[in-house]
Amino acid sequence: YVQTGATINGAGSSTTAIRNFSGNATISGGTITGGSYTILNREGSTLTISGGNISTIGTKQWAVYNNGTVTIK
């Protein structure tokens, strides 16, 4: 669970800040920066995003890469 006031930084251009492989994840605030995939949500995982600032470190990269279920409010 990531909420207001949190800062998560995937420091390199090929890193992932948050990986959700088989669970439920909620992001309701905070600042999240990553590389290749800032947030990676795999098959069988559920992700809910209802706030926050999500960005990548470079070009040709994904802020949210989803293979599961994601809800962005």
Side-chain angles (χ1 to χ4, degrees):
Y1 187 84
V2 180
Q3 58 190 4
T4 302
T7 300
I8 299 171
N9 186 3
S13 63
S14 63
T15 61
T16 300
I18 295 176
R19 292 180 179 100
N20 186 24
F21 285 107
S22 61
N24 296 316
T26 301
I27 299 169
S28 64
T31 300
I32 306 165
T33 305
S36 297
Y37 313 115
T38 300
I39 299 170
L40 176 62
N41 193 53
R42 290 289 194 191
E43 282 184 37
S45 298
T46 301
L47 172 65
T48 302
I49 302 170
S50 62
N53 296 307
I54 301 167
S55 62
T56 62
I57 294 174
T59 59
K60 298 182 180 180
Q61 297 168 336
W62 296 269
V64 177
Y65 186 86
N66 179 54
N67 288 326
T69 302
V70 65
T71 301
I72 301 174
K73 299 177 182 181

